[in-house]
Amino acid sequence: MTLARLAARHGVATAYSPSAGVTVPVPDATVVAVLGALGVDATTPDAVAAALDAAERTDRERLLAPTLVRWRGTEPARPPADLPDGTRLRVTTEDGAVVTGDDWEELPLGVHTAEAEAPDGRTATATLIVAPARVPAPERRAYGLLVQLYSLLSSRSWGMGDLGDLRELATWAGRTHGAGFIQVNPLHAGVPGAPSDPSPYRPSSRRFPDPVHLRIEAIPEYALLGPARREELDLILAEAADLRERVLGKGAAIDRDAVWEVKRRALELVVAGVEPGPGRRADFHDFLAARGRALEDHATYQALAERHGHHWRSWPEELRTPRTAEAAVRDDPDLAARVDFHCRLAWLTDRQLADAAAAAREAGMEIGIVHDLAVGVHPEGSDSWAQQDAFAAGMSVGAPPDAFNSRGQDWGLPPWRPDALAAAGYAPYRGLLRELLRHAGALRIDHVMGLFRLWWVPEGREPTEGTYVRHDAEAMLAVLVLEAHRAGALVIGEDLGTVEPGVRERLAARGVFGTSVLWFERDWADSGRPLAPAEWRADCVATATTHDLPPTAARLSGDHVALRHRLGLLPGDLARERAADAAETAEWLGLFQRLGLLPEGPGSEEAEIGAVHRFLLDTPARMVGVWLPDAVGDRRPQNLPGTWDEYPNWRLPLADADGQPMSLERLAASPRAHALLRELHARTAVQEADGAV
């Protein structure tokens, strides 16, 4: 019981409920290991007693909670009510202004510092977050496209989709088909070196974008290269054309490492060969000043990884922290030059992200580009090196066992320490959100439940031996709402899977949208029947599938069952799985027919995919997302959970119904894509005119 009380004080669960009425105890060894990662010694009964006594004493003596949250417009902005009479209070705001006494009504939005001094001499300092009540909301219903950017190559791509392709897609979709948004995969910086991890959800840094997405020809200095360097660049362009032809012409998987190799050489020519003009130089220096230490650390990691490999824990000891690595950079001109190079790449990528966002707005998109925030970072990446104090050593994020995975999951991502975030006034989290929201009309948060709690798995243990660790959800939400408000951006939470009771309601209360996928929207509490359109929630992105699920054509045909069987992923008998899948599909198609959404009747895949999207538009969902492969009948999932080398996860180009790779130009000329998107645009316009949504 003493260990349980200590664990509860630090947000560590000693039991969890995978389903209603079921409670699973957490092994004591797991609780001890997790507490140790939080800096709490619980290795012996005496240590547990001492830690608990210290925590209780701190609580008794504390004047202020470590973090205070005030929601603007929903509650009076008054000081904490439980302070001793005569306590003096003052708040230093973000911009340095000082507010005292009863003037808290005047506090601006922001993350401030509150200080209290009691008559008995006790003092306390806390982080005070003043946030608006809700994140921004869309003015009207919008539909948009969901795309894995690397998968969408154009005739100008260098072997994978890039930010020039994103700009073109946004312009075409907005101007031609009235799309309101384009949602992309995380564009975070990947782990350097080859072979790299192709998953965009396991990045090196979530704070900075990956320059592999750059459109080289769109860099202004590209056009100013001299003849000698132009000749060298022509050879690189020929290699890039070969990479593109391998994917689009020969059906090869996307090779991110090969793409980066040719782009890196081209960027070295452009960056070293042409000095930006005065205006561009001033813009770069402003970018450096605004990003500050965070960018310097990231660029330093990139430069050191080129020399020593990305496993920073095996680097020479003096390089294993940013501060001790400073001397190495100072004393090595070549290393300093590489740090500058990587700073410039971050700047160039940021500017092309801004161009894509501007193109979306100019094309009339109500929302624009929806960026994606991965749930964590690689344990040997830039962020884990630069922010070591913020991450829990020896821990990994995952998921407990559930009906779909009896062994649980270990994602290999180190979690943030909730206590470290609070002690830093949530600065790492705030900085991350600000960077991602700079060029976003909306931000999608992968596994949004992680704002409340995450499943921690101690190193060397199975995922079944993990436990939940809680964040201060009120503070995490307040920072999110504050930064989204400042950016004027919507927030979408990926809330699929096991969701703790009350989480969806708390997110909705703050204006955070959820994610509703057609095949999962059933009346699970009763008969399990498909939910009728009117029964869907409004504050969500409604879609037919995601990057981790089969495309709609594969779902309708049953191809996804055959694929999983071929790869040994089916939990049961093939015939039984096929029959169950066919029955589920028939149930949905029957509903579409009864609603008049499939007048052609079942049998035509293209018509059935049209019915799926007509159904989504008949729900009250404020955003409807079309998985881009569904527009052309692509059957292959971009990611097949549970596989590694057995399947080309995150490396498949967009393809047509016959599996032939499709360029952006072919997509834009596709009668099938035009027919679907034209109908969605028209139906959305009619619904808006009728006031239906």
Side-chain angles (χ1 to χ4, degrees):
M1 284 299 294
T2 306
L3 179 63
R5 287 167 54 203
L6 179 64
R9 286 184 170 274
H10 293 278
V12 179
T14 53
Y16 68 98
S17 298
S19 58
V22 178
T23 300
V24 178
V26 173
D28 284 354
T30 295
V31 176
V32 171
V34 170
L35 285 169
L38 293 170
V40 180
D41 182 5
T43 53
T44 67
D46 287 346
V48 171
L52 183 60
D53 180 65
E56 291 176 341
R57 186 168 58 253
T58 298
D59 284 350
R60 288 194 299 270
E61 296 175 355
R62 177 181 287 136
L63 285 174
L64 297 174
T67 306
L68 306 172
V69 174
R70 294 292 180 267
W71 297 100
R72 174 72 61 80
T74 61
E75 56 189 18
R78 60 170 64 101
D82 55 352
L83 293 172
D85 290 342
T87 298
R88 291 189 296 175
L89 280 167
R90 65 181 236 158
V91 175
T92 304
T93 65
E94 281 184 340
D95 59 7
V98 176
V99 177
T100 60
D102 296 325
D103 297 332
W104 281 35
E105 289 285 355
E106 307 302 318
L107 284 173
L109 297 175
V111 180
H112 315 307
T113 301
E115 297 170 291
E117 183 179 353
D120 60 9
R122 287 181 295 152
T123 61
T125 301
T127 297
L128 171 62
I129 307 168
V130 181
R134 297 172 61 86
V135 299
E139 293 183 6
R140 53 185 178 269
R141 145 73 72 75
Y143 94 91
L145 303 179
L146 317 179
V147 61
Q148 299 284 291
L149 180 58
Y150 58 83
S151 73
L152 185 65
L153 287 71
S154 70
S155 61
R156 296 175 63 189
S157 305
W158 288 28
M160 61 182 281
D162 61 32
L163 291 170
D165 297 322
L166 178 59
R167 181 187 177 105
E168 288 290 336
L169 178 67
T171 300
W172 170 74
R175 292 186 184 279
T176 304
H177 292 295
F181 63 91
I182 301 288
Q183 179 179 303
V184 296
N185 55 283
L187 303 182
H188 309 321
V191 176
S196 63
D197 189 331
S199 172
Y201 290 92
R202 202 163 183 254
S204 173
S205 174
R206 296 186 295 177
R207 298 180 295 169
F208 297 99
D210 198 320
V212 76
H213 299 113
L214 280 168
R215 169 66 61 84
I216 304 296
E217 298 90 332
I219 298 171
E221 288 74 32
Y222 172 89
L224 304 177
L225 280 176
R229 292 184 181 274
R230 174 66 60 181
E231 190 172 318
E232 194 175 344
L233 185 61
D234 286 343
L235 296 175
I236 295 175
L237 288 171
E239 292 182 59
D242 181 60
L243 287 173
R244 180 172 59 246
E245 174 60 19
R246 282 188 221 169
V247 176
L248 292 178
K250 300 178 181 177
I254 292 166
D255 188 341
R256 180 192 178 282
D257 294 339
V259 172
W260 174 239
E261 173 60 22
V262 293
K263 284 196 175 184
R264 179 189 57 76
R265 285 158 44 208
L267 286 164
E268 285 169 348
L269 286 175
V270 172
V271 170
V274 180
E275 183 66 24
R280 293 267 292 166
R281 272 202 311 274
D283 184 58
F284 174 55
H285 291 149
D286 285 348
F287 180 80
L288 288 178
R291 309 279 109 40
R293 174 67 69 182
L295 176 57
E296 185 177 338
D297 287 348
H298 175 65
T300 300
Y301 168 87
Q302 295 290 106
L304 290 171
E306 288 178 334
R307 184 174 292 186
H308 301 285
H310 73 268
H311 293 278
W312 57 264
R313 288 179 177 84
S314 65
W315 290 354
E317 189 172 352
E318 66 273 14
L319 303 179
R320 292 181 194 169
T321 70
R323 302 295 74 82
T324 57
E326 287 178 355
V329 175
R330 250 192 335 264
D331 298 340
D332 188 333
D334 291 338
L335 191 58
R338 295 307 292 178
V339 172
D340 179 71
F341 174 70
H342 288 290
C343 285
R344 288 176 184 269
L345 297 193
W347 167 60
L348 293 172
T349 312
D350 178 85
R351 292 309 179 245
Q352 289 196 9
L353 285 167
D355 290 343
R361 289 193 299 271
E362 290 164 7
M365 288 191 169
E366 298 92 337
I367 297 170
I369 308 299
V370 181
H371 284 281
D372 198 349
L373 171 61
V375 71
V377 295
H378 195 284
E380 294 285 349
S382 167
D383 284 359
S384 67
W385 176 75
Q387 299 178 321
Q388 293 175 43
D389 291 344
F391 291 97
M395 295 289 145
S396 177
V397 173
D402 57 27
F404 301 99
N405 193 326
S406 61
R407 295 183 299 175
Q409 300 175 57
D410 183 344
W411 302 330
L413 308 170
W416 264 336
R417 286 180 54 164
D419 59 328
L421 286 183
Y426 295 88
Y429 178 47
R430 290 155 51 201
L432 168 62
L433 290 175
R434 285 180 183 176
E435 284 300 319
L436 286 170
L437 288 164
R438 279 166 51 76
H439 307 304
L443 179 64
R444 174 190 181 271
I445 300 181
D446 192 42
H447 195 72
V448 72
M449 298 82 79
L451 298 180
F452 296 77
R453 64 178 186 177
L454 278 170
W455 185 257
W456 288 23
V457 181
E459 185 177 356
R461 296 185 180 275
E462 294 297 318
T464 52
E465 298 178 87
T467 189
Y468 280 113
V469 177
R470 289 200 174 278
H471 280 282
D472 182 340
E474 195 78 348
M476 297 290 280
L477 275 175
V479 171
L480 174 63
V481 173
L482 172 65
E483 296 301 339
H485 168 82
R486 287 172 162 171
L490 284 65
V491 178
I492 301 157
E494 185 271 297
D495 56 352
L496 304 174
T498 302
V499 182
E500 186 182 12
V503 165
R504 287 193 175 105
E505 291 77 9
R506 289 183 68 183
L507 291 169
R510 298 302 169 197
V512 177
F513 278 17
T515 302
S516 293
V517 176
L518 180 90
W519 310 99
F520 301 155
E521 290 299 306
R522 290 174 171 270
D523 181 8
W524 299 110
D526 188 9
S527 61
R529 63 174 176 79
L531 289 182
E535 297 176 276
W536 285 46
R537 55 182 168 172
D539 292 340
C540 73
V541 176
T543 183
T545 191
T546 73
H547 58 263
D548 283 332
L549 296 171
T552 304
R555 177 79 70 169
L556 292 168
S557 66
D559 284 3
H560 70 110
V561 177
L563 174 62
R564 293 175 64 221
H565 172 69
R566 190 163 66 248
L567 295 173
L569 299 176
L570 276 190
D573 175 73
L574 174 60
R576 222 174 15 248
E577 292 287 339
R578 275 182 166 160
D581 182 71
E584 180 182 345
T585 301
E587 200 172 12
W588 279 103
L589 293 176
L591 177 59
F592 300 157
Q593 286 184 275
R594 291 194 298 276
L595 294 172
L597 301 174
L598 186 55
E600 307 92 336
S604 164
E605 175 188 288
E606 190 171 345
E608 290 171 358
I609 290 176
V612 165
H613 291 91
R614 293 179 200 118
F615 179 93
L616 294 176
L617 282 180
D618 278 355
T619 73
R622 302 298 305 280
M623 296 173 69
V624 172
V626 180
W627 179 237
L628 189 60
D630 283 352
V632 291
D634 194 349
R635 283 172 157 71
R636 304 165 308 166
Q638 281 295 316
N639 179 49
L640 196 58
T643 63
W644 186 249
D645 290 334
E646 310 96 312
Y647 187 81
N649 295 316
W650 316 113
R651 288 170 285 173
L652 291 173
L654 180 72
D656 62 19
D658 297 321
Q660 296 300 310
M662 291 189 76
S663 66
L664 175 56
E665 291 82 1
R666 276 192 62 204
L667 168 72
S670 165
R672 180 168 178 167
H674 269 281
L676 177 64
L677 301 184
R678 186 167 53 243
E679 181 178 5
L680 294 180
H681 184 199
R683 290 176 74 94
T684 302
V686 168
Q687 288 175 338
E688 184 178 349
D690 292 345
V693 177

